[in-house]
Amino acid sequence: MTTFAILLTLVLLIFAAGFTGFAIVSLSEGHRRAARLAGALAALSLLILIAALMVPPTVQNVLALVLGAGLLALLLYLAWPARLAIPPSPPPTLRIDERTTMFARACLAPGSPEYSAYYAAHPEHHALDDLFRSKPGLLAPGALFYDERLASSPEGSFYLTESLRHAVNGPVADTATQHSPQAMTAWIKKLAAYHGAVQTGICELQANHIYSHIGRGSGTYGAPINLDHRYAIAISVEMDHQMLNCAPRMPTVMESARQYARSAQIAVILAAAIRALSYPARAHIDGNYRVIAPLVAKQAGLGEIGRMGLLMTPGLGPRVRLAVVTTDLPLSIDPPTWDPSIIDFCTHCTKCAAVCPSQAIPTDDRQHHPDGTLRWKINPERCYTYWTAIGTDCGRCMAVCPYAHADNAFHNLIRFGVANSANFRRAAIWMDDLFYGEKPPPHQPSPWLR
Ligand code: SF4
Ligand code: SF4
């Protein structure tokens, strides 16, 4: 056997082993199309190897040279540095009134003074909101995917989150002990991780992070919000990808409700722990926010806001739920980050927009908005109206996002390439469509959920 033939054998064996491994991982993740394709590529690599071993040594040498040159060219292409002229979005210049958000509008009881006052001030929302009110509603019998047994799980999780809404704040201990900001920062991050947070970031709280008026949760509806805490701690928790892949059916709302409860629990514990150290702290959790969690999380370095309008984290994409704690406990802030790779990926990938059943996600480039930001903006009325028709929080966009794949060595290798090479990002979009489909179908729920 010539040296070239040995190299050829090694490369083809590595290909076959890699594709076999990927097929097994894909099968375990429920991605049958990816598993079939990877299995076929593994078999093809072995067939080429067998054929190459049967031809004369001179042909083997030519084959090895062709394969080597092809691989080298591919590596050079993928690693080629690209100059990215992608500007970050400026921060919003205006504060958002929480009353204008879909969730606050959904809480308005027809006939109530708040209802009348809101639609007198925002007549442009009235017909749009009447449309979602004409649908069965979230977790409501009659909705397309409603299932009484499965719906009991998110009902239970939301019950816990709702109970925690009354525990977001409390008395502050008066036995002050001085700790260095560095020591406290390390402690808070460890504590958050201990309770289940996958990421924790800290930033200075800015005016544009804070809603201007209360729209739901504790406090008086419509009251101006004055929150003068100096720091904000953003945490994220992971959503299970198997449950999310069943989107838009019931398992997805089971999982989002579970993770809203988990993130709320962590934030409430952190805030109470800080108050026990004699500093004021308030948790901001589902249904009782005073801050806009994705904006805080972005400022704290957890990710960027992507095409679907959600925080895209480098490790799990949008497959996270967020909560925030604001406090005066002296902390070290995380340096602001700007990751153009996520915005570059979203600019060229429109997978979430392609699968969105309500066509709520834009397919064009980021646009400038009156609040000074440069971003994608989804149509919240279309999205929410779809939720109320099907009875779940849909999540199709999150489920198909190439960033949302499972956290394992195969996907993390792709994530490394995506973060570091513009050409790799283009290739990754193409590969994701090839292995998973341009519009991946929802997965079948596990047997216990059927
Ligand atoms: S699916 Fe594609 S475009 Fe949509 S958020 Fe994910 S990466 Fe961005
Ligand atoms: S949750 Fe569903 S309806 Fe809403 S934007 Fe995502 S895919 Fe579209």
Side-chain angles (χ1 to χ4, degrees):
M1 223 179 180
T2 65
T3 312
F4 279 140
I6 293 171
L7 285 175
L8 184 68
T9 307
L10 274 178
V11 169
L12 287 168
L13 280 177
I14 289 171
F15 271 33
F19 282 126
T20 305
F22 187 55
I24 293 168
V25 167
S26 298
L27 209 55
S28 73
E29 292 171 357
H31 293 298
R32 291 194 196 147
R33 173 185 166 125
R36 276 197 304 270
L37 188 56
L41 288 169
L44 184 67
S45 305
L46 287 177
L47 280 177
I48 295 174
L49 175 60
I50 292 166
L53 292 178
M54 292 167 72
V55 296
T58 44
V59 182
Q60 286 178 353
N61 290 349
V62 173
L63 276 175
L65 281 172
V66 169
L67 188 66
L71 280 178
L72 194 63
L74 183 66
L75 282 177
L76 277 175
Y77 170 77
L78 294 179
W80 197 256
R83 285 172 179 273
L84 289 181
I86 299 175
S89 169
T93 51
L94 306 170
R95 285 171 68 185
I96 294 174
D97 183 339
E98 195 189 18
R99 290 172 296 182
T100 63
T101 63
M102 286 312 301
F103 292 112
R105 283 149 63 185
C107 292
L108 290 172
S112 65
E114 291 83 8
Y115 180 96
S116 309
Y118 183 79
Y119 291 111
H122 296 279
E124 73 280 9
H125 290 160
H126 208 161
L128 296 168
D129 293 2
D130 277 350
L131 186 59
F132 78 68
R133 287 197 181 93
S134 70
K135 310 287 179 197
L138 272 180
L139 301 178
L144 183 62
F145 296 133
Y146 178 75
D147 177 295
E148 188 185 28
R149 184 176 58 98
L150 299 191
S152 66
S153 170
E155 291 287 7
S157 299
F158 284 135
Y159 179 80
L160 173 59
T161 309
E162 211 169 306
S163 315
L164 290 173
R165 285 178 199 162
H166 305 290
V168 294
N169 213 340
V172 179
D174 57 4
T175 52
T177 313
Q178 294 298 318
H179 300 278
S180 77
Q182 293 77 10
M184 279 296 99
T185 301
W187 166 245
I188 291 296
K189 288 188 173 181
K190 290 272 185 214
L191 195 59
Y194 167 68
H195 284 287
V198 289
Q199 290 171 293
T200 306
I202 297 169
C203 66
E204 274 182 314
L205 186 64
Q206 297 176 359
N208 60 51
H209 295 157
I210 307 168
Y211 284 120
S212 64
H213 295 79
I214 296 174
R216 59 185 180 138
S218 57
T220 308
Y221 178 83
I225 297 175
N226 297 306
L227 183 66
D228 57 3
H229 289 157
R230 179 146 184 223
Y231 298 101
I233 304 160
I235 60 151
S236 71
V237 294
E238 180 178 0
M239 292 177 72
D240 181 85
H241 68 96
Q242 306 273 23
M243 296 289 278
L244 189 59
N245 281 340
C246 301
R249 291 174 181 272
M250 291 299 287
T252 187
V253 69
M254 288 174 65
E255 183 59 15
S256 46
R258 184 169 78 112
Q259 299 309 341
Y260 271 130
R262 203 153 69 105
S263 60
Q265 197 179 325
I266 298 169
V268 165
I269 290 172
L270 283 186
I274 292 172
R275 291 195 302 273
L277 291 168
S278 58
Y279 290 91
R282 186 204 198 272
H284 303 264
I285 65 173
D286 179 44
N288 195 355
Y289 299 103
R290 293 290 183 267
V291 298
I292 302 149
L295 286 186
V296 174
K298 173 179 154 45
Q299 182 76 25
L302 266 53
E304 298 293 333
I305 310 290
R307 181 180 290 281
M308 63 178 89
L310 299 177
L311 186 84
M312 299 279 291
T313 63
L316 300 170
R319 197 164 51 82
V320 293
R321 284 289 180 241
L322 304 171
V324 171
V325 173
T326 54
T327 182
D328 282 334
L329 172 70
L331 294 166
S332 310
I333 60 169
D334 288 299
T337 55
W338 161 232
D339 187 350
S341 69
I342 293 178
I343 302 300
D344 185 44
F345 198 100
C346 279
T347 302
H348 292 88
C349 164
T350 52
K351 206 163 197 162
C352 52
V355 301
C356 174
S358 67
Q359 295 169 347
I361 303 176
T363 52
D364 52 2
D365 282 351
R366 291 183 297 167
Q367 304 289 325
H368 290 278
H369 291 275
D371 63 357
T373 56
L374 172 64
R375 62 190 163 98
W376 289 283
K377 185 178 183 313
I378 74 156
N379 183 319
E381 287 87 8
R382 281 191 185 182
C383 174
Y384 192 75
T385 303
Y386 184 70
W387 291 15
T388 53
I390 63 171
T392 78
D393 57 357
C394 178
R396 273 288 278 155
C397 46
M398 284 194 277
V400 303
C401 178
Y403 275 90
H405 286 299
D407 184 10
N408 60 40
F410 278 98
H411 295 302
N412 289 340
L413 194 63
I414 303 291
R415 286 188 180 104
F416 177 80
V418 161
N420 291 289
S421 157
N423 286 339
F424 195 99
R425 287 193 280 282
R426 309 293 176 270
I429 292 170
W430 178 79
M431 283 193 299
D432 203 89
D433 284 350
L434 179 72
F435 281 98
Y436 302 100
E438 286 175 29
K439 294 183 180 182
H443 288 195
Q444 278 295 319
S446 303
W448 73 280
L449 297 168
R450 284 181 204 156

